[in-house]
């Protein structure tokens, strides 16, 4: 399914990059990410999913959703995330 279809109806979400990416699965655990996954990084009770963004990308994530207020540049150092204009991710930063 296209990323833009997955995000349809979510208010106040900011995107960067290609919204026509084909998403094969949605994961919030970087260990479960495979090629074509959308990784959702959330702050949990015991751990912060943002710390696993690079692992998710290495495992095949093609897009990342960051929790509101998170700065993707702080967490993502993989190619494509260093340049805000080229970032294939989603950052609901100012929601």
């Amino acid at each position: 399914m296209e990323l833009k279809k997955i995000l349809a109806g979510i208010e106040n979400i900011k995107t960067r990059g290609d919204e026509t990416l084909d998403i094969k699965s949605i994961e919030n655990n970087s260990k479960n990410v495979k090629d074509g996954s959308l990784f959702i990084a959330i702050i949990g009770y015991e751990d912060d999913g943002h710390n696993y963004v690079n692992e998710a990308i290495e495992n095949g994530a093609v897009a990342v959703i960051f929790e509101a207020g998170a700065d993707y540049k702080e967490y993502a150092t993989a190619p494509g995330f260093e340049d805000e204009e080229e970032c294939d991710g989603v950052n609901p930063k100012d929601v």
Side-chain angles (χ1 to χ4, degrees), residues 22-95:
D22 183 35
I23 303 299
K24 295 180 179 18
S25 69
I26 302 172
E27 306 293 345
N28 65 358
N29 184 328
S30 60
K31 294 176 185 174
N32 296 333
V33 169
K34 296 179 177 69
D35 288 340
S37 292
L38 165 61
F39 178 65
I40 302 176
I42 57 174
I43 299 172
Y45 292 109
E46 296 181 17
D47 211 348
D48 184 346
H50 297 92
N51 294 325
Y52 300 95
V53 169
N54 288 317
E55 181 180 338
I57 293 167
E58 289 170 10
N59 289 343
V62 294
V64 176
I65 293 180
F66 294 85
E67 193 165 322
D71 181 0
Y72 74 88
K73 290 182 179 182
E74 179 180 342
Y75 298 103
T77 58
F81 280 87
E82 66 277 341
D83 182 352
E84 184 172 314
E85 296 303 316
E86 295 180 13
C87 177
D88 284 338
V90 179
N91 186 352
K93 187 171 171 178
D94 297 319
V95 175

